[in-house]
Amino acid sequence: MSDKTAKLTFGDTELELPIYSPTAGPDVIDIRKLYAQGDVFTYDPGFTSTAACDSTITYIDGEKGELLHRGYPIDQLAEKSHYLEVCYLLLYGELPSAEQLEDFEYRVTNHTMLHEQMMNFFRGFRRDAHPMAVMTGVVGAMSAFYHDSTDIHDPWQREVASIRLIAKMPTIAAMAYKYTIGQPFVYPRNDLDYASNFLRMCFAVPAEDYEVNPILARAMDRIFTLHADHEQNASTSTVRLASSSGANPFACIAAGIACLWGPAHGGANQACLEMLNEIGTVDRIPEYIARAKDKNDPFRLMGFGHRVYKNFDPRAKVMKQSADEVLDLLGVDNKPILQVAKELEKQALSDPYFADKKLFPNVDFYSGIILEAMGFPTSMFTPIFALSRTVGWVSQWKEMIADPTMKIGRPRQLYKGETLRNYVDIEKR
């Protein structure tokens, strides 16, 4: 119940609407009975002022540059924890004990293999298919193979589906990559950690042994951790909307992957690398910085600033540390694009124009640099994002299914089409 109300007056109608106060963030006006009592809708394209659910998972304060998972700051989690521990936190609400974490890691590790018949799905795609197209199709097809975890009303089946999705997504992403480059699939190994397993499945070949460098594995794990969840963004809202119809979890996550594929959402680090390629050489950086300052020039520095964070991206500090470690390990001498990235970062951070406008390098800038240095093509950047975000989607899906107030999503509209008119026979048109 709410002890605060908001008065809404229009025409001769006056309504009192309940106001709810969250544990953090602005108050929320409850408009669920607005149509029934006032015969009006609200109009909010993009839902930027609308709370479609209540949640206990992730909180963002863009003005402060704050991102919390179950109350824990993301920079603390990225520095002191690792991805599967963060997965446990998102799924179950608390940090695990040593025994709980060991059990969770064991369950995930032992579900990383795919049903062997699913290999036929990969072979049905063209070799030049985008890995996101492959992932969308294969994840959706999981419902045809894992019938024992599609009943959303059974808590145990929801748990099994959650573990399967988190465990198998690296295998699916790596196989999508291997398929597009014409190399044989590499099966997961139970003696490797989550990030190391993914790197091995992407870069190992049968002709020789592959040893995962711990610095690269740590950087990969941080990329996973820093992209694990980000509140009610477009793909998460898509997963929730799909699940509100009662769709099986694999279909809902496939819908999230499809939404993430959009360049305005999951393609930011790819856009950053494309910008660095456009700049090309270090000597051209001043020209592009000048263009970025010119309001009449459409060019924008990709990977700087963030729509949500009005101050700084709290994930960027930790990602910068990993980027520096990776570049120190692998070097930049033979990769002009990485030389451009390092110098662009230096010049932008020392330029008062960008500091005044709070256009600092964000997580996409640094993650793009890391993935490029590791040898991933830009087509794999968004699949890796999808892999990372799976636990966030699954956590939000589980939360929504367990919510007794859940209803099927049904947004309203401001209709501007034709009013009622009669059909005209074709010979009279």
Side-chain angles (χ1 to χ4, degrees):
M1 296 292 293
S2 171
D3 57 357
K4 295 189 292 185
T5 59
K7 286 189 177 182
L8 175 64
T9 303
F10 52 98
D12 297 329
T13 303
E14 184 175 285
L15 301 177
E16 282 201 2
L17 303 173
I19 297 178
Y20 300 108
S21 296
T23 53
D27 286 350
V28 176
I29 300 174
D30 185 349
I31 60 168
R32 282 177 290 182
K33 296 183 179 180
L34 184 61
Y35 178 49
Q37 295 179 351
D39 196 31
V40 293
F41 300 144
T42 56
Y43 183 61
D44 185 21
F47 309 112
T48 55
S49 296
T50 299
C53 64
D54 57 58
S55 181
T56 62
I57 300 172
T58 298
Y59 173 71
I60 296 172
D61 188 324
E63 297 296 330
K64 294 180 180 178
E66 189 175 70
L67 170 61
L68 308 178
H69 290 326
R70 304 288 190 180
Y72 294 98
I74 187 62
D75 54 336
Q76 290 185 22
L77 293 172
E79 289 175 0
K80 300 179 181 181
S81 185
H82 64 279
Y83 182 65
L84 285 186
E85 185 175 39
V86 173
C87 287
Y88 186 100
L89 173 67
L90 291 172
L91 284 170
Y92 305 116
E94 298 292 343
L95 288 170
S97 66
E99 186 177 327
Q100 289 171 327
L101 181 58
E102 182 180 2
D103 173 70
F104 181 71
E105 289 178 334
Y106 176 84
R107 287 188 289 145
V108 170
T109 301
N110 284 273
H111 276 86
T112 52
M113 287 185 64
L114 292 181
H115 192 292
E116 192 66 17
Q117 263 189 288
M118 293 192 74
M119 306 305 167
N120 296 327
F121 274 86
F122 290 91
R123 298 185 180 97
F125 291 95
R126 284 174 50 126
R127 286 284 179 184
D128 59 354
H130 195 287
M132 284 294 279
V134 177
M135 287 185 69
T136 303
V138 173
V139 172
M142 288 176 70
S143 59
F145 290 85
Y146 301 106
H147 304 290
D148 60 342
S149 55
T150 57
D151 183 357
I152 65 171
H153 302 295
D154 184 339
W156 174 246
Q157 291 199 31
R158 295 202 299 268
E159 176 70 12
V160 172
S162 302
I163 298 297
R164 280 177 170 159
L165 281 160
I166 295 166
K168 298 181 191 303
M169 201 64 75
T171 310
I172 293 171
M175 288 182 171
Y177 171 57
K178 285 294 195 182
Y179 185 77
T180 60
I181 61 175
Q183 290 186 2
F185 296 145
V186 176
Y187 287 75
R189 272 181 29 184
N190 289 353
D191 61 329
L192 294 176
D193 63 77
Y194 195 86
S196 297
N197 222 343
F198 176 66
L199 288 172
R200 180 180 174 275
M201 287 190 290
C202 286
F203 295 121
V205 292
E208 60 188 25
D209 292 332
Y210 179 81
E211 292 292 331
V212 182
N213 187 292
I215 293 177
L216 299 185
R218 177 60 175 155
M220 192 81 257
D221 187 87
R222 278 182 169 172
I223 288 176
F224 293 161
T225 299
L226 293 170
H227 290 89
D229 193 50
H230 210 238
E231 215 197 66
Q232 306 307 317
N233 52 78
S235 58
T236 299
S237 299
T238 297
V239 171
R240 279 182 171 266
L241 190 60
S243 65
S244 74
S245 72
N248 71 75
F250 306 110
C252 296
I253 302 306
I257 295 172
C259 180
L260 189 72
W261 194 357
H265 188 8
N269 49 10
Q270 179 174 340
C272 175
L273 261 292
E274 290 169 350
M275 175 200 70
L276 295 175
N277 274 315
E278 181 184 344
I279 296 173
T281 55
V282 170
D283 60 288
R284 299 186 67 192
I285 291 176
E287 170 196 343
Y288 279 85
I289 286 183
R291 289 182 59 188
K293 296 178 182 179
D294 185 353
K295 294 181 179 180
N296 298 319
D297 193 313
F299 175 77
R300 294 291 180 267
L301 282 182
M302 305 303 296
F304 287 77
H306 196 281
R307 179 187 177 189
V308 172
Y309 300 108
K310 307 307 180 186
N311 193 339
F312 63 93
D313 185 338
R315 303 167 296 175
K317 178 183 176 181
V318 182
M319 197 87 284
K320 172 178 167 52
Q321 179 184 337
S322 285
D324 290 340
E325 291 171 356
V326 169
L327 294 185
D328 287 344
L329 173 70
L330 300 178
V332 300
D333 294 340
N334 60 343
K335 283 203 170 187
I337 189 173
L338 297 179
Q339 295 174 5
V340 172
K342 291 278 284 184
E343 184 60 26
L344 178 62
E345 175 200 28
K346 179 182 176 182
Q347 291 192 28
L349 286 175
S350 63
D351 192 316
Y353 175 87
F354 296 101
D356 292 343
K357 293 186 174 297
K358 303 186 186 304
L359 294 176
F360 306 111
N362 60 34
V363 70
D364 298 309
F365 180 81
Y366 293 116
S367 64
I369 292 173
I370 292 171
L371 295 175
E372 167 71 19
M374 286 181 177
F376 284 104
T378 53
S379 63
M380 275 299 292
F381 288 8
T382 313
I384 290 171
F385 192 164
L387 186 174
S388 311
R389 185 56 56 84
T390 296
V391 66
W393 292 332
V394 168
S395 300
Q396 300 272 352
W397 166 76
K398 286 184 69 179
E399 182 179 65
M400 181 176 182
I401 296 299
D403 185 353
T405 66
M406 182 191 77
K407 291 183 177 181
I408 185 170
R410 182 59 173 88
R412 300 295 188 171
Q413 65 178 11
L414 173 62
Y415 179 70
K416 290 189 172 182
E418 296 288 346
T419 54
L420 178 66
R421 50 182 176 172
N422 293 320
Y423 180 83
V424 179
D425 293 334
I426 192 166
E427 63 273 9
K428 295 181 180 178
R429 293 176 209 161

